[in-house]
Amino acid sequence: MVALRNKSGWRRLVVGCACAAIITIVPACKNGQPSERAENLAYAAYDPPVKLSIAYSYSDITLPEGDLRDNHFLTRYLQEQTGIEVKYDWEAGGEEQYRSMLDLAIRSNDLPDVFIVTRDQFHSLMERDMIEDLSSYYEPYASELVKSIYDATGGKAIKEASEDGKLFAMPNVAIEADAPTYVWVRQDWLDKLKLSPPRTLDDLAHIAHAFMKGDPDGNGNADTIGIPVDTQLVFGEKIGVHGLNGIFSAYHAFPKSWIRDESGNVVYGSITPNAKRALALLAQWYQEGVIDKQFVLRKDITDVIEENQTGIIFGPWWAPYWPLSTSVAKDTKAEWRVFAAPVDDMGTFVTNTSPTTDRYLVVRKGYAHPEAALKLLNVLTRLERNLDPNVKQVEKLRATASQLGTQLRSYYPFDLLLDYPDAIEQRHDLLVKALAGEVNSDELDPDSKSLYEDTKQEMESPRKNMEAWSASQAYLLGGAVSKQPMVKKEAVFYGTTPSMDKSWPALQQMEHDTYLQIITGEIPIDAFEDFVTRWKAGGGDRITAEVTSTVDAQAK
C-alpha cells in the first residue's frame, strides 16, 4: 500500500493485486471544498516514494559535480514534491534519435512507464492497446492549473488525446500566435523613401521594387534584393521564417493543410485553384525580383539579413529573436516593424492555424501508478508557469541552472510544456501595463519581470544589448500584431492515413518540385493542372478518401 501525503493531511492509494487499481481518497479536512480536496490530491506526495521510468531525450547540459542524469538538483526537488523517483529507462540524443528509439521500443513492446510520443506514435499505441486509459485519473489528479490550460483550448486538446470518449494522454498545447506569418519591414527605409506601410499584395511588390531601386541603405550600390524565400517554400504544421504561407493565405489557399472547401468537401490545400492563383503571382514576382531571384542557390539565407541586403521578410511574431537580431546587430539604425499583411481582396488578413497539440504524455499499459504522470506534470507546469509556492527553493533551482549556463527547463525529465493558447497576447498586455505603471513590476513573475527589465533597458539604451532588443521587440511588436483582427482557417486533419505510408513521400516531393519549378519559371503555370492530375492518380485520391472518412467519423 502506498500513501500520498501533503501538508494538509494524508491520502491512501490501495493497489489491487491484478490489473485493477482502486483509489481511496481521504479528505484533507472535513470542511474543505471539493476543488480544494482535488487540488490537495493533485500535489500530494507518495510516501514511500514510487519509481517512474521515463524515456529521456537529453540536451547538452552541464551537471553539478556529483549529480547524475536522473539524480540531480531538479529531480531531487521533484521527488521531494511528488514522492516520485524518476529513472531514465533509456536516453536519446535529440528528437530524431528519440523517435527512432521509441519506434523500436513500441515494436518490441518494451516500453518505459511514461514517455512523450508524436501524433502517429500515439495513435499506433492506442490501436495496439499499449497505453493506459487516463479518464478516471484526470479529474482527481490533474491540477486546476493544468485543467485551466486545457479548458482554454475549448476542449480541443483533450479531444485530440481521446478516443471513443476515453482519455489516453496528457497533450501539449500549441501557442496560437505561432501560426500566422506576418510581414516585417525596415521602417527606416520606408521613411527614407516616403513609402506607406504594406497592406496588400500590390503594396508589397511596390515596396520591394522601391527598396531595390532606391538605395535605401545609402551605400551607393544596387545591392538591395527582394524578399528572401526559404527553399522549403511553404511550411506545414511548424511555421518558420521566409515561408510563403502569407502569400497563399491572401488567396485563401492553404498548402500542406487538409481543409474544407466552400462546398464543405475535405480537400488538400496544395491542389486547389486558389493555390494556382498564388503560384501565378509568385512566378511573376520571381521574374521581377520581388522575391529573391537567387533564393534557390543561397547556402545560408540568413546572410542577406545579417548584411542588411533586404528590407522585407516573412516571419512569425518571434522574428526579432531570429533572424532580425542579426540585422540590428550589424546596423543599429535598422528599425524593423511588423504588419498583418498581405490582406485578401476584401481587406481581411487571413492565416492558417497550427494543430492544438502534436505531442502526448502517455503511460505504459500495466504501470501501477498512472496518476504519477499527471502529478509530475502538475509540478512541472506549476514550476514553468512561475506559480510554485516554494519560492526560495525555486530561486535556488533557477540560480543553479543559470550558473550552469542554461535554463531550468533544460533539466526537466520530459518536454511537455503547457501554456495558454493566448500566452503571447497575455504577456504583451502585462508588459504594456507594467510599462505604464498599471502593474507593479516588483510583483511580476520571474519571466515577465525579466522581459520588463529587458524592455526598460532597450528603451533607455537602445540596441546596446541585443537580447534586450529581441525580447522587447518580439513581445511589444509581435505581441501587438498577434492581437490584430484576422480570419483563421482551421485544418480538419493532421497525422497520417494507411495509404500515406506508401505514397506520401513521393507526393510531397512532386508537390515541392512543381511549386519550385512554377515559381522559378522552369515550367508554365498551366503545368499546375497536370500536377493535380498526377497527384490524384499517384495516391492522392485514395489518401483524400481516407482523410475524409476519418474526419467524418470524428465529427459524429
Side-chain angles (χ1 to χ4, degrees):
M1 193 156 47
V2 180
L4 297 176
R5 59 174 170 77
N6 65 18
K7 295 178 181 178
S8 302
W10 293 83
R11 308 289 184 273
R12 290 197 175 273
L13 175 67
V14 183
V15 182
C17 58
C19 295
I22 303 173
I23 300 174
T24 303
I25 302 174
V26 180
C29 57
K30 293 182 179 179
N31 296 324
Q33 296 299 313
S35 61
E36 294 174 350
R37 293 197 296 272
E39 195 73 349
N40 286 334
L41 189 57
Y43 291 108
Y46 294 99
D47 190 11
V50 299
K51 290 186 177 181
L52 180 74
S53 66
I54 288 179
Y56 180 57
S57 179
Y58 63 84
S59 55
D60 187 15
I61 56 175
T62 302
L63 293 169
E65 186 175 353
D67 278 7
L68 305 174
R69 285 272 188 193
D70 55 4
N71 182 12
H72 53 68
F73 64 100
L74 180 58
T75 59
R76 288 192 292 272
Y77 175 75
L78 294 176
Q79 180 169 341
E80 175 188 324
Q81 294 298 309
T82 64
I84 298 171
E85 183 181 355
V86 172
K87 292 294 180 183
Y88 295 152
D89 196 55
W90 46 262
E91 302 179 24
E95 188 173 333
E96 185 174 343
Q97 186 183 37
Y98 178 89
R99 187 184 303 114
S100 177
M101 292 179 68
L102 186 54
D103 283 339
L104 178 61
I106 293 172
R107 289 195 298 270
S108 60
N109 195 18
D110 184 16
L111 299 172
D113 299 329
V114 172
F115 48 105
I116 300 291
V117 296
T118 65
R119 184 183 297 107
D120 289 341
Q121 290 170 333
F122 173 59
H123 287 288
S124 175
L125 288 163
M126 281 197 300
E127 291 170 2
R128 300 183 186 194
D129 192 27
M130 295 174 69
I131 52 178
E132 283 286 343
D133 175 4
L134 302 178
S135 305
S136 62
Y137 300 99
Y138 182 73
E139 281 301 326
Y141 288 103
S143 68
E144 293 302 311
L145 173 61
V146 167
K147 290 176 184 174
S148 71
I149 292 175
Y150 287 143
D151 289 346
T153 69
K156 292 179 183 177
I158 292 298
K159 182 179 180 181
E160 290 206 15
S162 301
E163 184 81 12
D164 297 328
K166 297 179 181 179
L167 179 66
F168 286 96
M170 301 298 286
N172 72 334
V173 174
I175 302 299
E176 291 179 349
D178 287 345
T181 295
Y182 303 108
V183 176
W184 291 84
V185 183
R186 284 281 297 261
Q187 183 64 50
D188 54 316
W189 289 7
L190 290 176
D191 294 340
K192 181 177 180 179
L193 301 181
K194 296 180 171 54
L195 299 170
S196 298
R199 179 165 172 78
T200 67
L201 290 164
D202 287 343
D203 291 341
L204 275 177
H206 176 66
I207 292 170
H209 282 300
F211 282 180
M212 287 186 287
K213 297 175 182 177
D215 190 25
D217 57 5
N219 67 356
N221 299 318
D223 57 356
T224 301
I225 65 170
I227 306 170
V229 177
D230 190 288
T231 53
Q232 189 172 332
L233 302 179
V234 180
F235 295 109
E237 294 184 19
K238 300 290 187 182
I239 296 297
V241 181
H242 309 307
L244 296 169
N245 296 64
I247 305 303
F248 284 91
S249 294
Y251 284 99
H252 294 209
F254 305 94
K256 298 188 181 298
S257 294
W258 291 95
I259 57 173
R260 288 196 183 275
D261 63 15
E262 294 178 355
S263 300
N265 299 314
V266 174
V267 296
Y268 183 56
S270 298
I271 64 170
T272 63
N274 285 341
K276 180 181 179 181
R277 293 174 61 207
L279 284 169
L281 177 71
L282 288 167
Q284 176 186 331
W285 277 11
Y286 179 83
Q287 293 302 318
E288 297 175 357
V290 173
I291 57 176
D292 176 23
K293 298 192 73 170
Q294 301 298 316
F295 81 88
V296 178
L297 303 176
R298 295 194 186 280
K299 293 182 179 180
D300 189 349
I301 195 172
T302 59
D303 288 346
V304 299
I305 311 298
E306 183 177 352
E307 297 300 324
N308 286 287
Q309 290 181 267
T310 186
I312 309 173
I313 75 161
F314 299 129
W317 71 273
W318 46 259
Y321 284 105
W322 185 88
L324 297 184
S325 57
T326 64
S327 162
V328 178
K330 198 71 174 284
D331 179 4
T332 57
K333 298 186 299 296
E335 293 278 359
W336 289 93
R337 295 293 181 267
V338 62
F339 304 94
V343 296
D344 66 7
D345 290 340
M346 301 300 291
T348 302
F349 181 67
V350 181
T351 182
N352 57 293
T353 62
S354 294
T356 302
T357 183
D358 61 359
R359 293 162 59 80
Y360 307 80
L361 178 68
V362 298
V363 179
R364 171 182 60 81
K365 188 73 173 284
Y367 176 58
H369 310 288
E371 75 285 345
L374 281 73
K375 295 170 72 62
L376 198 56
L377 180 62
N378 292 339
V379 173
L380 287 172
T381 303
R382 184 175 67 177
L383 187 62
E384 183 65 19
R385 300 277 65 82
N386 300 296
L387 295 172
D388 194 311
N390 307 298
V391 177
K392 294 298 183 183
Q393 289 175 278
V394 171
E395 286 179 353
K396 186 176 180 180
L397 292 173
R398 295 190 190 282
T400 299
S402 179
Q403 290 168 5
L404 295 169
T406 188
Q407 295 178 307
L408 183 60
R409 64 174 62 101
S410 299
Y411 296 89
Y412 290 1
F414 55 74
D415 179 17
L416 194 84
L417 304 182
L418 299 185
D419 206 345
Y420 293 96
D422 63 344
I424 305 307
E425 295 91 333
Q426 287 187 30
R427 184 65 57 83
H428 165 82
D429 291 346
L430 185 60
L431 175 60
V432 170
K433 289 179 179 179
L435 293 172
E438 298 174 16
V439 174
N440 187 345
S441 61
D442 292 333
E443 297 176 0
L444 295 173
D445 63 80
D447 286 347
S448 296
K449 188 169 184 178
S450 176
L451 175 59
Y452 170 79
E453 291 172 348
D454 282 343
T455 306
K456 292 288 288 185
Q457 180 180 352
E458 173 59 24
M459 294 170 69
E460 295 167 1
S461 303
R463 297 164 180 77
K464 299 298 183 184
N465 181 321
M466 289 316 302
E467 290 184 5
W469 180 88
S470 300
S472 62
Q473 301 308 291
Y475 279 95
L476 283 178
L477 303 181
V481 77
S482 300
K483 293 165 62 70
Q484 293 295 307
M486 63 186 74
V487 171
K488 300 177 180 180
K489 182 68 172 182
E490 290 195 23
V492 296
F493 176 82
Y494 299 102
T496 60
T497 70
S499 295
M500 282 185 177
D501 291 339
K502 178 180 179 181
S503 308
W504 200 239
L507 291 176
Q508 290 282 279
Q509 189 63 52
M510 181 197 304
E511 174 187 333
H512 179 268
D513 291 347
T514 302
Y515 272 42
L516 184 62
Q517 289 168 350
I518 289 175
I519 291 172
T520 58
E522 186 176 337
I523 58 177
I525 185 61
D526 288 342
F528 183 83
E529 306 300 341
D530 177 62
F531 154 65
V532 173
T533 300
R534 290 185 292 118
W535 186 91
K536 290 182 175 181
D541 274 345
R542 184 170 58 253
I543 291 171
T544 300
E546 291 173 349
V547 172
T548 300
S549 177
T550 300
V551 171
D552 289 345
Q554 291 173 343
K556 293 179 180 178

